[in-house]
Amino acid sequence: MADFKMLAIDLGATSGRGIVGRFDGKKLSLEENHRFDNDPVTAAGTFYWDILRIFFEIQNSIRKCALSDDKDIKSIGIDTWGVDFGLIDKYGKLMGNPVHYRDDRTLGIQDYAFAKLSKEKIYEKTGIAHINFNTIYQLMAMKRDNPNAFDGVDKILFIPDLLNYFLTGKKETEYTVASTGGLLDVKERKWAYDLMSSLDVPTNIFTDIAQPGTVVGKLLPSVSDFTGIKDANVVHVAAHDTASAVVSVPSDSKEFIYISSGTWSLMGMELDTPAPSVEAMNCGFTNEGGTHGKTRFLKNIMGTWIESECKRQWAREGEKYTYDELSEMAANSQMHKCFINVDDPTFNPPGNMPKRIVDYCKKTGQAVPETKGEIVRCIFDSLAMKYRWTVENMDKLMNRHTPVINIVGGGTKEPLLCKLTADACGRPVYAGPTEATAIGNLCVQLMAHAEISTLAEAREVVRNSFEIKTYEPENTEKWDENFERYCSLM
């Protein structure tokens, strides 16, 4: 039997990729067929996504399939970041480039929102952690700054839905990406029109919600003519990238903690029902949509961004190191010499990160890291401690002890961090697969075509197809001794 072939478009905040997936009935294999930059653009004081360039590159990836042995792809699926959107007028035309979530238009917007409706009521309705760039706050900022901002708007489409519209002409909103915006009733899983009205957000611009694993449609004739692909279905995958990554978690148990590890660490668990309690809100947990009716109960934690910025700074100073070299230096450095709160705003912007770490340790009365190895060890120890804080609070909120942690994504390439996570959290860590988002995207495409039918089957395919490394906890006593010292920084 010939392989079932698919194309996953995995679009991140700085780059995008086309990944061809081939499924032989038991195993899934991957091959990158196109990679492109995703460079945001500042124009006239606003920070935009260059969405038409992104769409052009997506078509190039599809075209490369047509010019290769992959001309027989059966489907195409797109996953991206959440919250951002484009606006469509009544003639079906894009009204302007989507604004980047890091644009400063939402500065101070939460105080404005909470004056209309308390943060507790908003969280109880949506289950989404309060972050100023949530879609609900972006829409409020638009209306606050320009009362006529929505004149002429017919529909709003999140980024993956907008790209699907460009491909197919169909205007629908995929559930997992919609759930990131603070616009859904977390329990009813439909648009929270009453909330929108209370916050002065228009309610007539939203499309029907589609579930992951359903077909959007065929390519438009113009797209088919450009790309050379005629018969492939465009599929609603788990369109939010973290939702796709969670599909690929290779657990054979229903109870596990996951970390989708990269520039950010998305750490959470899969629930059958959401948990929008005040305690969860105060701990910064969010309830986002998953596949097969699941809820992704998670916390957004700073990830390997801090190490990457240190590496960039040292390169600017003429000292270039690989990540493996930095990890080796960290492994040979003193453990628990100092800690940072990785989610402190100090560490959010780019720039001289080593200096900020040193200054933070001085400010908090700790020993100061003196070598590059000690700085990286401080980052890794601190991340592992934050993971411990997160898993303990999740278990407390759920009244259970979750036995294992699964790390997926780029962070699995840092074996030292994976090992320290096992030690700090006192439970085994299973690391892999690395290409988690693309794999989850492809698995949902397989579901849409009835090649597999359940999450359990998808995860079995992942276990069959990709290497998973195991890290057993050791030296847990030392982490116990220093956990309170770390918590004092939060």
Side-chain angles (χ1 to χ4, degrees):
M1 185 178 81
D3 288 347
F4 188 94
K5 297 179 185 178
M6 308 151 284
L7 178 65
I9 301 296
D10 180 20
L11 187 58
T14 59
S15 66
R17 304 174 303 159
I19 304 284
V20 175
R22 302 179 183 92
F23 181 60
D24 67 5
K26 291 185 178 180
K27 291 186 177 182
L28 179 66
S29 62
L30 312 179
E31 182 180 355
E32 182 178 299
N33 86 334
H34 188 53
R35 180 178 286 269
F36 54 94
D37 291 334
N38 179 18
D39 297 313
V41 180
T42 298
T46 299
F47 198 28
Y48 295 103
W49 296 107
D50 192 354
I51 196 69
L52 299 183
R53 170 55 54 178
I54 292 170
F55 180 60
F56 176 75
E57 296 293 356
I58 289 171
Q59 291 184 97
N60 283 340
S61 181
I62 301 170
R63 195 160 186 252
K64 285 183 178 181
C65 291
L67 297 174
S68 72
D69 291 339
D70 300 318
K71 60 177 67 70
D72 54 343
I73 57 169
K74 302 297 185 186
S75 67
I76 301 162
I78 300 174
D79 67 77
T80 79
W81 63 94
V83 307
D84 290 338
F85 55 89
L87 298 174
I88 305 296
D89 68 16
K90 66 180 181 179
Y91 302 106
K93 304 300 183 183
L94 180 66
M95 298 179 69
N97 271 350
V99 177
H100 195 292
Y101 61 85
R102 291 192 186 275
D103 185 76
D104 63 7
R105 65 179 174 174
T106 56
L107 292 177
I109 192 63
Q110 289 192 39
D111 290 339
Y112 177 77
F114 298 157
K116 294 177 178 290
L117 197 64
S118 73
K119 63 181 181 180
E120 290 82 7
K121 287 187 179 297
I122 295 174
Y123 186 82
E124 180 184 11
K125 173 64 73 170
T126 68
I128 299 298
H130 297 296
I131 304 175
N132 68 310
F133 55 63
N134 289 350
T135 313
I136 185 70
Y137 299 133
Q138 292 194 47
L139 296 173
M140 290 188 72
M142 290 175 64
K143 189 70 178 292
R144 176 196 62 186
D145 299 339
N146 176 9
N148 301 317
F150 295 99
D151 289 358
V153 175
D154 182 58
K155 291 292 180 284
I156 178 174
L157 294 171
F158 288 86
I159 299 298
D161 305 315
L162 180 62
L163 295 168
N164 284 341
Y165 169 62
F166 290 162
L167 288 176
T168 68
K170 300 289 182 61
K171 288 176 279 193
E172 295 178 336
T173 305
E174 191 276 330
Y175 168 62
T176 69
V177 76
S179 74
T180 66
L183 293 161
L184 293 186
D185 184 312
V186 69
K187 295 177 181 176
E188 298 293 331
R189 307 187 186 205
K190 60 185 181 182
W191 298 118
Y193 291 126
D194 53 346
L195 174 78
M196 296 181 204
S197 296
S198 298
L199 296 175
D200 200 24
V201 169
T203 60
N204 61 339
I205 59 175
F206 295 90
T207 74
D208 292 340
I209 295 172
Q211 290 299 315
T214 56
V215 174
V216 184
K218 299 289 186 181
L219 297 176
L220 288 167
S222 59
V223 178
S224 288
D225 289 345
F226 179 83
T227 63
I229 294 294
K230 304 296 183 184
D231 296 323
N233 287 319
V234 176
V235 169
H236 285 299
V237 297
H240 185 230
D241 49 13
T242 306
S244 273
V246 172
V247 171
S248 76
V249 172
S251 176
D252 58 1
S253 168
K254 291 185 178 181
E255 291 193 359
F256 58 87
I257 300 289
Y258 61 82
I259 305 175
S260 179
S261 177
T263 300
W264 292 92
S265 294
L266 293 306
M267 187 173 192
M269 56 177 56
E270 208 170 52
L271 302 179
D272 290 329
T273 56
S277 66
V278 172
E279 293 80 8
M281 181 189 74
N282 290 337
C283 288
F285 288 103
T286 199
N287 296 263
E288 295 178 353
T291 60
H292 284 64
K294 299 294 186 181
T295 293
R296 293 177 289 122
F297 184 75
L298 62 90
K299 184 172 177 62
N300 199 343
I301 302 167
M302 186 63 72
T304 56
W305 160 259
I306 302 176
E307 181 196 16
S308 297
E309 278 300 293
C310 287
K311 181 175 180 287
R312 276 189 279 272
Q313 179 63 32
W314 291 324
R316 285 192 286 266
E317 296 169 357
E319 298 181 90
K320 294 186 177 181
Y321 300 95
T322 66
Y323 284 110
D324 287 344
E325 288 171 336
L326 293 175
S327 291
E328 184 177 356
M329 288 188 283
N332 293 323
S333 298
Q334 179 184 340
M335 71 182 299
H336 300 167
K337 179 176 180 178
C338 51
F339 298 108
I340 58 172
N341 177 3
V342 295
D343 289 328
D344 190 287
T346 300
F347 306 114
N348 285 343
N352 192 337
M353 194 66 74
K355 182 179 185 299
R356 275 182 260 165
I357 291 171
V358 169
D359 290 346
Y360 181 93
C361 292
K362 288 179 180 178
K363 180 181 176 181
T364 52
Q366 300 182 82
V368 173
E370 298 175 351
T371 67
K372 293 175 179 62
E374 288 184 349
I375 288 174
V376 176
R377 183 60 188 247
C378 172
I379 296 168
F380 283 3
D381 283 350
S382 301
L383 276 171
M385 282 294 200
K386 186 58 178 280
Y387 297 156
R388 173 175 175 157
W389 180 92
T390 303
V391 72
E392 288 191 0
N393 276 277
M394 278 193 291
D395 276 350
K396 182 179 178 182
L397 287 166
M398 298 299 123
N399 191 30
R400 74 191 202 193
H401 177 82
T402 311
V404 299
I405 297 173
N406 286 269
I407 301 180
V408 299
T412 61
K413 297 178 182 178
E414 289 281 10
L416 177 59
L417 180 56
C418 294
K419 182 67 176 71
L420 297 181
T421 301
D423 296 346
C425 298
R427 55 197 93 191
V429 164
Y430 301 108
T434 301
E435 300 290 350
T437 304
I439 293 167
N441 177 319
L442 293 165
C443 284
V444 176
Q445 292 189 55
L446 290 171
M447 293 176 188
H449 290 87
E451 294 291 318
I452 57 178
S453 58
T454 66
L455 274 174
E457 287 182 40
R459 288 167 178 160
E460 183 180 5
V461 169
V462 176
R463 293 194 298 274
N464 290 340
S465 306
F466 304 98
E467 180 183 12
I468 312 297
K469 294 183 178 179
T470 302
Y471 299 87
E472 295 290 344
E474 298 174 340
N475 301 318
T476 55
E477 299 84 1
K478 293 182 180 179
W479 293 87
D480 294 342
E481 292 168 7
N482 288 283
F483 183 55
E484 186 173 345
R485 179 160 69 94
Y486 171 79
C487 290
S488 68
L489 301 173
M490 295 180 62

